[in-house]
Amino acid sequence: MPRFFTQDHEWIDADGDTATVGITEYAQGQLGDIVFVETPDAGKEFARGDDAAVVESVKAASDVYSPVSGTVTEANGDLDDSPELVNEDPEGRGWFFKLALKDRRELDGLMDETKYKAFVDGL
Amino acid sequence: MTETESSETLATLPLDGWHRARGGRMVPFAGYHMPVQYEGVMAEHSWTRRSAGLFDVSHMGQLTVSGPDVDAALEALMPADFKGLGEGRMRYSLLLADNGGILDDLMATRLPDDNVFGAAGFYVVVNGAVKFEDIGHLREHLADEITLNHMEGRALLALQGPKAADALGRLVPGVGDLAFMRGGSFGWQGRGLWISRSGYTGEDGFEISLPAETAEAFAEALCAEPEVKPIGLGARDSLRLEAGLPLYGHDLDPDTTPIAADLGFALSKRRRGEGGFPGAERILKEREDGAIQKRVGLVIDGRQPVREGADVVEADGTMVGRVTSGGFAPTIGKPIAMAYVPWASAEPGTTIHLSQRGKLHRAEVAAMPFVPHRYVRAGAK
C-alpha cells in the first residue's frame, strides 16, 4: 500500500478508493506531548487543504489539513481517551481519520517516503 | 510562544550555546533565542514539581535604583510600602500608569548597603518583553538625583522545586537559611551572586543573579547535581499557570487594573490608606465597589485545552470576557485557564461558557492556585 506525505507533515495511506490520514513521526516530535485530538465526524466532506482536525499539545493547538479531497468515513475513536497514541505510534495506531477519496489523481502531487525524508532532512 | 520575530533581530543570551549543547529547542521569546523545551514539557514540568528545575530567565531586566529618597520615588510609581521594607526583603509590585493600568509587574528588594551589586537602594527585576519600556518610564518619572542602572552584564537563573535548597546549598552554603521573599549576597568561585528565595512556579526555590561570564560554569555545576535538570519555557508556563500566577502581556496589560487582575494584595495597607500612587482614586474605588471584570481561574470540562484569546460568552453568545492563559495542567491532568469574567460571575463554582474556534466549552470558576504553593516562609521551618 503506497504511503504519501505532505509538506505540512501529514501522511496518507491509499488503499483503493479509501485512505487513512495521520501526522508524521517528525510532526509529533515537533509538537511534543499531545493531550487532545479533535477528529472530524463521519460524513464530513473536505476539499484538499481544508482544516480537518486539531491536535493539541501541552503548549499549543495545531491544525491538521486534509491532504486530498474526500468524505470522512471514520475517525480514530481511540484518540478520545488516549491522545498520547499520536506520540507513541503516529504512523500506526495514532492515525486520525479515514477518507473516501474523491479523486485518486490528487495523490500524484504528494511526496513519497524518500522525498519526504529528504524534505525533512532539509528543514 | 508564537511571537513572530525574524531571527535576525533576535539577541542571544549568555547561556545560548549551553542550551543548544544540552539539546534545548530554541524559539524566539521576548526578543531573544530561548529554550522552549529539552526532553518535553510534561517530563520537565513533573521533574520540577518533584525535584529541581533550572530555568534561564536572563531575558528579564535587572535594575538597581538608588539615590536620595528612593523609597518615596518608587512609591510615587508603585503601590507597595517600600518605606517599610527591611533590608534583604522583597515585594511583588506593579508599575502603574496614571489611570491605574498595569505597565508591568516586578519584584523589588531593598538592598543592604554592602551588596554584590555595589549599589544602595533597590534591586528590581522586570519582565523581559517590556524591560526597555519600563526603563524609559522610570527614567522619565524618577528625579534626576535617582540613579537607574540596567545591569546588562548579569545573567539570571531560577532553580525551582522541592529539592532546590539541597542542590543549591551544596554549591552555595547558607542559601537554605533564606526564607521566602528574602535575598542576600553570596559567592561562588570568587564571583558575587545575589540570591533570593523566590520564583514563579509556585514551588520552593531561588533566583540567582550572577555575572554573565560565570553563568555557563554555574549552570553546568548546578546540573551536575543529581536533583537538577534544565527546564524550558514551555514547562515554566504550565507551572506558573497551575500556580495561578499571572503573566505580563497575557493576563496583565495596561487595560487591567490591580483589582480587576485580582492583585489587591499588592496594595500595601499603608498605601491603601494614604494613596499617592498612580490611579489611586480609581483603584481604591474599585477595591470598594468591584471592577467590571475580574481575573479568575477556570477548570475546563473535557480534555480539550482552551487557549489565550478564546471568548467568555453568555448563553445568547454575547462576548463578556476573554481567556488570557490556557493550557493543559500536567499535575492536575485537565485543561485549566485564566480568564477575565464579569465581576458577578467570578465566584468559585460558577459555571461559565467559552467559545473557541466556533466550539463551545463549559468551565467552572476555580479558586487559585490550582496546585498549592510550597513556599518556605519565615518561621515555618
Side-chain angles (χ1 to χ4, degrees), chain B residues 58-314:
Chain B
S58 299
H59 64 301
M60 299 183 83
Q62 299 184 66
L63 317 173
T64 54
V65 188
S66 49
D69 289 326
V70 65
D71 310 35
L74 292 178
E75 288 195 357
L77 303 178
M78 293 183 256
D81 178 1
F82 290 114
K83 290 176 182 166
L85 194 61
E87 287 185 357
R89 303 289 187 102
M90 61 199 295
R91 281 282 182 278
Y92 174 82
S93 197
L94 301 163
L95 208 54
L96 297 175
D98 287 342
N99 69 355
I102 301 171
L103 299 174
D104 198 6
D105 63 341
L106 52 78
M107 289 285 185
T109 311
R110 183 189 292 279
L111 293 167
D113 288 340
D114 186 18
N115 66 71
V116 296
F117 301 126
F122 289 84
Y123 167 56
V124 179
V125 179
V126 301
N127 278 298
V130 288
K131 64 185 172 186
F132 296 110
E133 288 91 331
D134 289 359
I135 290 166
H137 180 85
L138 290 167
R139 288 230 161 93
E140 187 184 338
H141 289 86
L142 292 172
D144 293 345
E145 296 77 35
I146 303 289
T147 304
L148 181 68
N149 182 24
H150 180 201
M151 300 185 287
E152 294 187 87
R154 292 187 81 85
L156 190 65
L157 302 174
L159 187 69
Q160 301 280 292
K163 296 180 183 170
D166 295 341
L168 185 60
R170 265 174 247 132
L171 269 65
V172 187
V175 290
D177 296 335
L178 287 173
F180 182 57
M181 295 297 271
R182 298 190 194 185
S185 296
F186 292 85
W188 184 72
Q189 296 192 345
R191 308 307 296 264
L193 273 52
W194 178 266
I195 299 179
S196 61
R197 198 150 196 171
S198 61
Y200 220 56
T201 62
E203 293 295 326
D204 181 26
F206 302 86
E207 289 191 339
I208 305 143
S209 168
L210 72 174
E213 62 273 19
T214 312
E216 192 167 317
F218 190 76
E220 195 64 24
L222 268 179
C223 286
E225 299 299 321
E227 299 93 344
V228 181
K229 283 185 183 183
I231 307 296
L233 291 172
R236 184 171 173 82
D237 198 50
S238 53
L239 288 159
R240 71 94 198 159
L241 180 57
E242 286 185 343
L245 301 168
L247 182 60
Y248 195 79
H250 301 265
D251 312 296
L252 308 177
D253 62 33
D255 293 328
T256 34
T257 63
I259 302 302
D262 197 23
L263 299 173
F265 74 90
L267 311 170
S268 297
K269 189 176 177 210
R270 177 175 64 80
R271 306 300 312 283
R272 293 199 308 262
E274 293 176 6
F277 51 87
E281 198 178 325
R282 174 187 181 190
I283 291 166
L284 294 173
K285 186 173 188 311
E286 283 186 355
R287 191 167 177 274
E288 292 300 314
D289 304 342
I292 296 168
Q293 291 185 319
K294 188 178 181 185
R295 178 177 64 94
V296 297
L298 299 175
V299 175
I300 317 291
D301 274 7
R303 288 186 62 110
Q304 184 162 24
V306 177
R307 313 280 181 178
E308 178 176 1
D311 292 343
V312 177
V313 294
E314 289 188 328

Side-chain angles (χ1 to χ4, degrees), chain B residues 291-357:
Chain B
I292 296 168
Q293 291 185 319
K294 188 178 181 185
R295 178 177 64 94
V296 297
L298 299 175
V299 175
I300 317 291
D301 274 7
R303 288 186 62 110
Q304 184 162 24
V306 177
R307 313 280 181 178
E308 178 176 1
D311 292 343
V312 177
V313 294
E314 289 188 328
D316 65 358
T318 312
M319 178 193 168
V320 291
R322 192 169 58 91
V323 173
T324 52
S325 284
F328 191 82
T331 308
I332 306 168
K334 287 180 187 173
I336 58 172
M338 286 182 197
Y340 281 85
V341 303
W343 194 266
S345 304
E347 277 299 307
T350 309
T351 297
I352 63 152
H353 296 90
L354 305 168
S355 172
Q356 173 173 259
R357 299 188 299 267

Side-chain angles (χ1 to χ4, degrees), chain A residues 5-19:
Chain A
F5 297 87
T6 71
Q7 294 199 350
D8 298 312
H9 308 288
E10 290 103 14
W11 57 264
I12 176 165
D13 274 349
D15 182 10
D17 287 331
T18 66

